[in-house]
Amino acid sequence: QVQLQESGPGLVKPSGTLSLTCAVSGDSISSSNWWSWVRQPPGKGLEWIGEIYHSGSTNYNPSLKSRVTISVDKSKNQFSLKLSSVTAADTAVYYCAVKRWLQPNWFDPWGQGTLVTVSS
Amino acid sequence: DIQMTQSPSSLSASVGDRVTITCRASQSISSYLNWYQQKPGKAPKVLIYDASTLQSGVSSRFSGSGSGTDFTLTISSLQPEDSATYYCQQSFSTPTFGQGTRLEIK
C-alpha cells in the first residue's frame, strides 16, 4: 500500500520560492507511476501542478510551467516541488499524489496535504 | 486545456434520496473521466475511474456513467456520510478538475 507524506515550510515570503518534498513509502519511486502535485487554495477547487516519471520526464500545468520545477530523488525514494516567484495567490494546501503510467489513470492515493501560506 | 464544468455547484438532499451530479467536458474525452469525494480537511478520494468503474472498497451506492463530453455521478440512496464535495477530473490530456459540487444532507 503506497503512502505519501508531504513536508516543507508552511510559510513562504512573497517573491520567494516554495519548496516541498513528498516521501514515498510502500512502493519504489522507480515503479510505473507518475508522481504528481495538486494544490487547493483555501475554500476553492483542485488544480493540477505537474508530474514526474522516475526517468525524469516531466509534465507541467501550462499556467504554472514558467515557475515550476519537479524533481525526483531515487536514493531517498521521494520527489520534490519548487515554485518560484510566489504571491498570495499561491497560498494553498499542496498535495502529492500517484497516477499510474498507463491509461486509464487517476490520482490515488494522495498525501494528507500541507498548507503553504505566502505572506511577509 | 480541457475545461470541466460541474452542475449543480451545491445541493441539499435527504437521507435515502437519489442524487445526480453532472460533469461536462469542453471537448470529447472518451471515457477518461474520474470522480473524487473530498471531506473537510481531508485529501480527495477516488470513487469512480474511467467514467463508470467503481474503485475497490467504494460503496456500490455510487455509480458513474457517460462518455464523450457528458458524464454523471449518481448516489442511489444518500447516507449521512456522503456529505462532501465531489469533483470530476479528466485524464484525456493535461489533467483538469471540475469546480466541485458541495453536497449537504438535510
Side-chain angles (χ1 to χ4, degrees):
Chain A
Q1 178 78 345
V2 181
Q3 291 187 315
L4 307 173
Q5 178 66 59
E6 305 90 350
S7 62
L11 181 64
V12 180
K13 294 186 185 306
S15 77
T17 297
L18 179 160
S19 297
L20 296 174
T21 296
C22 182
V24 179
S25 59
D27 193 10
S28 169
I29 204 153
S30 295
S31 60
S32 298
N33 292 308
W34 287 99
W35 305 95
S36 307
W37 290 97
V38 178
R39 70 180 183 178
Q40 184 172 38
K44 296 188 178 181
L46 300 162
E47 180 182 35
W48 176 76
I49 299 169
E51 62 193 7
I52 189 165
Y53 196 68
H54 63 79
S55 62
S57 179
T58 54
N59 296 305
Y60 296 134
N61 187 323
S63 69
L64 298 170
K65 187 174 183 177
S66 63
R67 300 193 290 131
V68 173
T69 302
I70 297 176
S71 59
V72 66
D73 186 334
K74 295 180 186 179
S75 67
K76 294 183 179 179
N77 214 45
Q78 64 186 32
F79 62 108
S80 299
L81 167 70
K82 290 189 185 298
L83 181 66
S84 64
S85 304
V86 298
T87 69
D90 295 308
T91 293
V93 174
Y94 286 76
Y95 296 99
C96 53
V98 183
K99 187 182 77 174
R100 71 176 201 160
W101 180 60
L102 291 173
Q103 282 280 28
N105 54 42
W106 56 94
F107 296 107
D108 180 66
W110 299 57
Q112 64 184 26
T114 187
L115 174 63
V116 179
T117 301
V118 178
S119 175
S120 56
Chain B
D1 280 10
I2 298 176
Q3 306 302 315
M4 307 301 294
T5 304
Q6 288 181 232
S7 62
S9 296
S10 64
L11 75 154
S12 181
S14 300
V15 172
D17 283 354
R18 182 182 180 89
V19 169
T20 297
I21 298 169
T22 65
C23 180
R24 175 165 288 177
S26 59
Q27 67 183 73
S28 177
I29 57 171
S30 185
S31 64
Y32 295 129
L33 190 283
N34 307 313
W35 289 99
Y36 299 86
Q37 176 193 65
Q38 186 180 34
K39 296 186 177 181
K42 299 295 186 181
K45 165 190 166 184
V46 65
L47 300 174
I48 302 283
Y49 62 87
D50 201 26
S52 61
T53 304
L54 192 68
Q55 171 72 329
S56 175
V58 173
S59 172
S60 58
R61 296 182 289 103
F62 293 92
S63 63
S65 65
S67 66
T69 60
D70 294 317
F71 302 86
T72 60
L73 172 70
T74 300
I75 308 173
S76 61
S77 178
L78 198 62
Q79 297 301 303
E81 60 267 29
D82 299 334
S83 177
T85 301
Y86 293 84
Y87 293 94
C88 61
Q89 175 248 323
Q90 62 82 15
S91 61
F92 181 82
S93 64
T94 302
T96 49
F97 293 87
Q99 80 279 16
T101 295
R102 181 170 293 184
L103 173 57
E104 173 192 270
I105 310 299
K106 288 180 183 175

